[in-house]
Amino acid sequence: MSGVSYALTDSVTMLRRNMRHLMRYPIMIIAYVGQPVFILLVVVGIFGHALGHGLGVQSTDGHRYIDYVAPAMILITINYGLTTTALNVSNDMTAGIMDRFRTMAIARSSILIGHVLEAVVRTLFSIALVLGLAVALKFRPDATPVEWIAAIGLMALLTLAFTWLVMAFALATRSLEGANSLTLPLQFLPFLSSAFVPASTMPAGVDWFARNQPLTPIINTLRGLLMGSRIGNDGIVAVAWCVGIALVGYLWSKASFNRNSTAPVAAAPAGKK
């Protein structure tokens, strides 16, 4: 087998390991999926009528606002899953399992890739649950099969980008507290974007930030793909942001992981194996 084949095999093994860990703690999925579900129910069920009228998108049955906000809930679901990724990586860094992996004949890259693949699978599953709830709340996307494929591709690319970035946080800080604190700005960013209202309706200064931060073109692109609204240049900008974030996160993660891997493996205490 070639080096690439070994790396792929080891990555699948690490993915299987991480998925088994996830299945042992289903409360983690329930906890982080529950947050976007709660936000969706509050925004649509309590504030949706007023927000819909304010945006001029409210229909007589009171359900049009869900069409505006549901695509943004996809991004919020991705963001709230980042804490789980930080927890998983931090646990591996502090529990000593990384030292054990370093003594085994496995590809180093597979350790990180396994976490990335697990995060993508977990997040796409969570997005499906949130979209199912949105449909129950009368969200009615009119995307074509090609647009659905493009939307799913963008979701996966965004998940990949943020996962590498959060993994870099966890590897750099080597603690759950540090990694979790660095993920908080990513969770707040959707509230300063076009997720709930257009950027043009925000106060001066805030609207400039909302228009120029990475999440607004991503949300607008998802909204355009799923609901048929105008995308314009947002699609290109969204992909560029995702690729840029992924590249920074990957290079930072690789550098931190290699630096941590050069530290000597702690010797076992005398009389213990």
Side-chain angles (χ1 to χ4, degrees), residues 65-108:
Y65 183 68
I66 184 66
D67 294 335
Y68 181 88
V69 77
M73 297 309 303
I74 295 173
L75 188 142
I76 291 176
T77 303
I78 294 173
N79 281 15
Y80 275 96
L82 299 178
T83 302
T84 300
T85 302
L87 173 63
N88 293 340
V89 177
S90 295
N91 280 343
D92 279 355
M93 291 298 297
T94 58
I97 190 64
M98 288 296 186
D99 290 339
R100 178 169 296 183
F101 284 151
R102 284 161 49 198
T103 65
M104 300 170 64
I106 60 175
R108 279 187 179 182

Side-chain angles (χ1 to χ4, degrees), residues 51-144:
L51 288 171
H53 274 297
L55 297 177
V57 298
Q58 195 70 34
S59 62
T60 55
D61 60 6
H63 294 290
R64 285 284 304 281
Y65 183 68
I66 184 66
D67 294 335
Y68 181 88
V69 77
M73 297 309 303
I74 295 173
L75 188 142
I76 291 176
T77 303
I78 294 173
N79 281 15
Y80 275 96
L82 299 178
T83 302
T84 300
T85 302
L87 173 63
N88 293 340
V89 177
S90 295
N91 280 343
D92 279 355
M93 291 298 297
T94 58
I97 190 64
M98 288 296 186
D99 290 339
R100 178 169 296 183
F101 284 151
R102 284 161 49 198
T103 65
M104 300 170 64
I106 60 175
R108 279 187 179 182
S109 60
S110 67
I111 301 173
L112 300 184
I113 293 174
H115 279 294
V116 171
L117 294 177
E118 181 271 334
V120 172
V121 172
R122 166 171 46 84
T123 302
L124 291 179
F125 174 75
S126 302
I127 289 172
L129 294 180
V130 173
L131 281 179
L133 174 62
V135 170
L137 294 173
K138 297 190 177 182
F139 172 53
R140 296 296 179 263
D142 58 2
T144 65

